[in-house]
Amino acid sequence: MPAVKDILRTMDYGPAPEANAEILAWLAARPRFGHFIDGEHADPAEGGHFEVRNPATGALLAEVAQGSAADIDAAVAAAKAALAPWQALSGHARARYLYALARLLQKRERFFAVLETMDNGKPIRESRDIDIPLVVRHFYHHAGWAELIESEFPQHRPVGVCGQIVPWNFPLLMLAWKVAPALAAGNTVVLKPAEFTPLSALAFAELCREAGLPQGVVNIVTGDGRTGALLVEHPDVDKIAFTGSTEVGRLIRKATAGTGKKLGLELGGKSPFIVFDDADLDAAVEGVVDSIWFNQGQVCCAGSRLLVQEAVADRLIGKLKARMETLRVGDPLDKSTDVGAIVDTVQLERIRSLVEAGRAEGAVCHQLGAPLPKEGLYFPPTLVTGVGPASTLAQEEIFGPVLVAMTFRTQAEAIELANNSRYGLAASVWSENINVALDAAARLKAGVVWINAANLFDAAAGFGGYRESGFGREGGREGLADYLVPAADVTEAKPVRLRSVDFSAAPAAALPEAVATAPRFDRTAKLYIGGKQARPDSGYSYTVTDHRGAAAGQVGLGNRKDIRNAVEAANKASAWAGVTAHNRAQVLYYLAENLEARANDFRDRIATLVDGDAKAAAAEVEAAVARIAHYAAWADKYDGLVHATRSRNVTLAMNEPFGTIAIACPDEAPLVAFVSLVAPAIAMGNRVVVVPSPVFPLVATDFYQLLDTSDVPGGVVNIVTGERSVLAKTLAEHDDVAAFWYFGVDDGASAVEAASAGNLKPVWAHARPVRWTSPAEGQGREFLRRATQVKNIWVPYGE
Ligand code: NDP
């Protein structure tokens, strides 16, 4: 036993283990778990059981059921049957169930914290002080949303049965992030926990029974990736919400393509942690500890790339090395442990092999000197220097306690380095200068930015990524919207009768005689790229017919090359995003004005092409003018929010443009549909590459004369005519296209969704016809929501 004076000299910690007898007793009473289906324990239909072990000791904790197709069928059927009665409850009644769950979780906080630590290996300090309190907060917060859903989201309905798949790094917290909003919005769920960490979800199932939650509202099916895949493929699932690796996210994107399932993906990251030379370095060091050494670095938003301004790099690295030596790695149940065990040998091997690959490339690894525990799965906190932006360790998500440090000289270089990643989940910015910090926050491509802070989460703020970190948000008002669909989505407009188009290539000047009442110049409409009319790369055109079947003109037959040129032009026009919203509104008003001035021309054109009905055509032009004015009005009013998060922060939820949006127009209402899609996208600061209806492309090509005369900068709207499905596929595969809106009742949406898996661009696929002239269907907030992605910027205040 050390004497008090020895302890005072070393200031060392004694062991402070958290008691786990209760958990052991709970597990002993449940050596084999079944699934939780329709409110009951359910033995696996055929899959048998697998072992779940404590990564810190290797001890067997339990045997858990492997979910098979029959189990998923049963769970989805239970969720489907529970939908109608659950939705028939008032929001207030649903709120009471969520509130009951929150209360029960709160009463068992200690139980869940210890169970989570034993199952996952994370330090008890983290599960006790972060994971479980946030779980409780999520249920309370969403109990409130259940209460408000009808008044705050009018004209919306729940999505239906939600399949939810969560990873092992925050097992119960990810469950809460998914289950609470789904239930609040009136959905029912089938959740599959991660194979390594299913126990807290199974304990939560018991709470659902205790809370008297109606049967089938929450179902939990355990198993490995195969079980997850079965859930994804189930035809009665209306939405998939997934958190996990980008690779599996891609598989899910492909598997759900064309099924009409709503999809939310919260994927990997390689988040930058940027330290400017005026930062409080000691605070930044603590930020690093909370960022990359939190949960052993197994955090999707971990600040794994340290970018430090050259002037302070040596000092910061020195401080970090010193701080690293004070980290205590060991028994996760010990209350003084900072860094616990890695979740599984598979993950430990992955970290080891990536670090070895980095070493082979010349990376210098500085690791904690103290020995690691002899038993259990541990990896030392690691600081890597001597890497370049392209090296493996700077690009790959390691998902371990490994920080990669690089330096920069100027702010511009810092932003360039930070954004040099295929991911875009989070970023942390350290500077005492508010101008520098906020400017960086605005320019970073990330869904969450913490200023002088790291890894702050709250139920009131949305969380989710840009780029290959996925799409959709969890938490806050923006997260809830992902569990709802606009009610207008379900009204059935009359399907448009598709006229077949003959895309046979013809030389550009070969306009058939039928429409030539007098000798005329070549009337082949060109493409419109970068503010200029452009000949199609192929040199070919196709003939467009009028409503009687007579040739009405020719348009360019665009190809891959034209699409690439159009995307390049759109990307070059990025200044549009920086133009003030007031100025964008002015440009749109000007466009509306110019369309009105040419109303008769457009009326005649539409009538000739569509059905000869001049009155209907005039009404369409009028609706199009109003539609543009509508979005001119919105341009400076689609505000973000300041979220009321729990700690002392101003949490700004900013609506940001995606960048370049690809738009494939439908065949109905060729003018008003075109402007209904283009106007909201550009009003929000996006640039667009539009493929107009192949049946009526002449309406769109007439439109570029308006763009030319309305001060729309070149490259903001690009129009490529041709075969929609062919052009759409190229756009969907293009990595510089950030989002895709596919409106067409053909089966092109399915190919677009599958092809979008490359850079995981969100696809708004709308396979139902829309009554475009109706404001209820053809305009509104949903278009603006789809035109933006929410960035949450956390600005702490106070000393
Ligand atoms: P996965 O993406 O494989 O797992 C996430 C969840 O998806 C788990 O429940 C998993 O089941 C399930 N799953 C696996 N395959 C499929 C499939 N084909 N269809 C549907 N669901 C599936 O992550 P891993 O756990 O395998 O970790 C691998 C790497 O992913 C890590 O090293 C890390 O880099 C990254 N990762 C990122 C996370 C993030 O939040 N960004 C979270 C977890 C991991 P099961 O657990 O049974 O395999």
Side-chain angles (χ1 to χ4, degrees):
M1 179 112 173
V4 172
K5 69 174 195 275
D6 297 332
I7 292 173
L8 282 176
R9 197 175 54 245
T10 61
M11 288 301 280
D12 205 359
Y13 296 84
E18 178 74 37
N20 65 351
E22 250 192 76
I23 312 303
L24 292 173
W26 183 80
L27 289 169
R30 295 159 183 76
R32 278 195 154 180
F33 284 89
H35 307 298
F36 179 66
I37 298 176
D38 207 15
E40 304 289 340
H41 166 102
D43 285 327
E46 57 203 41
H49 289 80
F50 59 91
E51 293 182 341
V52 176
R53 291 183 177 274
N54 180 339
T57 62
L60 177 67
L61 295 174
E63 287 189 17
V64 169
Q66 168 66 33
S68 62
D71 299 321
I72 290 289
D73 274 349
V76 173
K80 199 174 170 189
L83 259 184
W86 182 240
Q87 288 172 8
L89 293 178
S90 66
H92 175 70
R94 283 201 299 273
R96 282 175 179 255
Y97 285 110
L98 285 159
Y99 188 77
L101 285 169
R103 292 284 293 171
L104 287 170
L105 282 159
Q106 195 167 32
K107 281 195 244 172
R108 314 275 160 75
E109 276 201 25
R110 191 55 61 100
F111 172 89
F112 275 101
V114 177
L115 178 64
E116 199 77 314
T117 283
M118 289 172 70
D119 199 9
N120 168 279
K122 61 174 66 201
I124 185 70
R125 267 198 306 121
E126 292 177 7
S127 48
R128 185 193 63 197
D129 299 344
I130 298 170
D131 290 51
I132 309 302
L134 274 171
V135 168
V136 173
R137 161 90 178 129
H138 240 78
F139 277 95
Y140 275 130
H141 180 81
H142 285 91
W145 273 123
E147 200 91 51
L148 301 173
I149 202 101
E150 283 152 30
S151 57
E152 286 301 295
F153 291 89
Q155 271 105 45
H156 281 74
R157 62 171 179 94
V159 189
V161 174
C162 299
Q164 307 187 316
I165 299 171
V166 295
W168 41 258
N169 53 347
F170 294 93
L172 194 65
L173 184 57
M174 291 301 105
L175 174 150
W177 280 24
K178 292 196 162 39
V179 171
L183 265 44
N187 302 281
T188 58
V189 308
V190 177
L191 178 120
K192 191 204 84 70
E195 180 187 359
F196 299 149
T197 57
L199 298 180
S200 52
L202 293 165
F204 175 79
E206 296 186 4
L207 288 199
C208 291
R209 284 178 69 125
E210 215 176 318
L213 194 68
Q215 291 184 343
V217 170
V218 169
N219 303 274
I220 293 173
V221 179
T222 51
D224 58 18
R226 289 169 298 174
T227 313
L230 288 166
L231 182 56
V232 168
E233 284 155 18
H234 201 289
D236 288 341
V237 170
D238 302 300
K239 170 181 167 118
I240 291 291
F242 171 81
T243 300
S245 61
T246 295
E247 289 64 35
V248 175
R250 265 200 193 97
L251 292 177
I252 293 178
R253 170 67 286 182
K254 287 185 186 151
T256 53
T259 62
K261 285 189 178 105
K262 198 167 168 148
L263 184 60
L265 298 175
E266 198 269 273
L267 309 174
K270 191 75 189 174
S271 299
F273 188 105
I274 309 169
V275 183
F276 287 101
D277 58 8
D278 64 345
D280 174 342
L281 294 189
D282 293 316
V285 166
E286 291 313 309
V288 168
V289 173
D290 292 341
S291 196
I292 188 67
W293 294 318
F294 167 56
N295 201 18
Q296 298 69 252
Q298 301 167 136
V299 182
C300 49
C301 53
S304 50
R305 284 187 296 149
L306 172 65
L307 306 176
V308 52
Q309 199 151 14
E310 240 174 50
V312 293
D314 289 344
R315 268 172 62 215
L316 184 71
I317 299 286
K319 281 174 184 281
L320 267 175
K321 285 181 178 168
R323 179 66 175 90
M324 218 164 99
E325 288 306 316
T326 68
L327 293 173
R328 298 172 60 85
V329 182
D331 180 7
L333 274 180
D334 191 311
K335 282 172 275 214
S336 52
T337 289
D338 298 307
V339 179
I342 301 296
V343 72
D344 189 85
T345 38
V346 177
Q347 186 61 16
L348 185 58
E349 278 318 310
R350 183 185 149 83
I351 301 169
R352 280 184 182 145
S353 69
L354 274 167
V355 170
E356 281 323 304
R359 278 205 173 100
E361 285 177 14
V364 180
C365 294
H366 180 86
Q367 291 184 316
L368 175 74
L372 298 178
K374 291 201 177 56
E375 261 192 4
L377 309 173
Y378 292 93
F379 193 86
T382 302
L383 171 63
V384 179
T385 53
V387 293
S391 51
T392 307
L393 292 182
Q395 287 294 329
E396 290 295 313
E397 182 180 44
I398 302 170
F399 230 60
V402 183
L403 177 67
V404 179
M406 284 173 282
T407 59
F408 65 87
R409 286 188 184 157
T410 62
Q411 185 172 352
E413 197 191 345
I415 302 298
E416 201 172 311
L417 277 171
N419 287 339
N420 176 21
S421 163
R422 59 198 174 104
Y423 297 114
L425 192 50
S428 193
V429 179
W430 294 75
S431 167
E432 292 297 294
N433 181 333
I434 188 89
N435 295 329
V436 169
L438 285 179
D439 183 53
R443 287 158 64 198
L444 286 165
K445 292 198 165 40
V448 186
V449 180
W450 295 292
I451 291 179
N452 294 327
N455 280 344
L456 298 175
F457 311 101
D458 188 67
F463 182 89
Y466 281 26
R467 310 204 280 197
E468 290 183 36
S469 292
F471 48 79
R473 294 289 178 268
E474 294 188 309
R477 178 182 277 272
E478 57 267 37
L480 207 60
D482 284 331
Y483 281 98
L484 295 161
V485 282
D489 254 1
V490 287
T491 64
E492 290 294 337
K494 229 174 50 211
V496 69
R497 200 158 37 86
L498 276 179
R499 201 183 295 165
S500 64
V501 181
D502 180 2
F503 290 105
S504 343
L511 182 70
E513 278 305 301
V515 288
T517 51
R520 61 204 310 176
F521 296 114
D522 171 19
R523 299 240 317 177
T524 302
K526 299 193 185 68
L527 315 179
Y528 186 66
I529 295 176
K532 295 195 181 71
Q533 298 184 31
R535 280 179 205 293
D537 169 70
S538 66
Y540 288 115
S541 306
Y542 73 97
T543 302
V544 178
T545 54
D546 68 13
H547 72 283
R548 292 159 313 181
Q554 289 202 307
V555 291
L557 197 51
N559 67 10
R560 301 177 72 84
K561 180 87 190 323
D562 300 310
I563 289 289
R564 283 201 291 267
N565 291 343
V567 173
E568 198 179 320
N571 281 342
K572 275 201 194 132
S574 59
W576 181 245
V579 165
T580 66
H582 170 80
N583 286 353
R584 286 199 296 269
Q586 295 306 301
V587 170
L588 282 164
Y589 279 125
Y590 197 9
L591 195 55
E593 206 177 289
N594 284 332
L595 175 58
E596 192 163 64
R598 295 214 23 219
N600 292 347
D601 296 348
F602 275 89
R603 179 200 59 204
D604 295 347
R605 179 65 108 180
I606 295 168
T608 312
L609 291 175
V610 178
D611 55 6
D613 184 345
K615 213 165 140 213
E620 182 174 343
V621 178
E622 202 182 312
V625 172
R627 191 65 36 91
I628 301 173
H630 177 82
Y631 289 110
W634 264 121
D636 59 355
K637 292 171 195 68
Y638 189 60
D639 293 332
L641 291 167
V642 180
H643 286 311
T645 46
R646 222 164 33 140
S647 38
R648 283 156 60 84
N649 296 285
V650 176
T651 308
L652 305 164
M654 314 271 291
N655 294 322
E656 292 199 339
F658 278 97
T660 297
I661 298 184
I663 297 176
C665 293
D667 290 325
E668 65 267 21
L671 177 66
V672 75
F674 176 89
V675 300
S676 298
L677 295 168
V678 170
I682 65 173
M684 293 297 104
N686 298 287
R687 291 85 69 192
V688 295
V689 176
V690 195
V691 178
S693 155
V695 192
F696 308 120
L698 292 168
V699 177
T701 54
D702 286 353
F703 201 84
Y704 56 58
Q705 291 162 4
L706 299 185
L707 297 168
D708 279 341
T709 51
S710 308
D711 291 347
V712 178
V716 171
V717 178
N718 305 276
I719 300 170
V720 181
T721 51
E723 210 169 337
R724 181 170 44 211
S725 54
V726 174
L727 299 176
K729 184 159 181 293
T730 307
L731 278 164
E733 286 166 350
H734 203 302
D735 280 349
D736 288 336
V737 172
F740 203 128
W741 296 0
Y742 192 94
F743 280 70
V745 286
D746 48 28
D747 58 5
S750 143
V752 164
E753 287 185 327
S756 72
N759 72 347
L760 286 162
K761 54 179 76 64
V763 177
W764 185 13
H766 211 287
R768 265 186 241 103
V770 174
R771 276 187 284 254
W772 288 102
T773 43
S774 144
E777 284 188 41
Q779 70 183 31
R781 274 183 170 268
E782 182 63 9
F783 289 81
L784 301 165
R785 197 178 76 83
R786 298 282 188 164
T788 49
Q789 45 191 348
V790 182
K791 176 189 274 182
N792 271 274
I793 304 176
W794 294 65
V795 191
Y797 57 83
E799 284 298 318

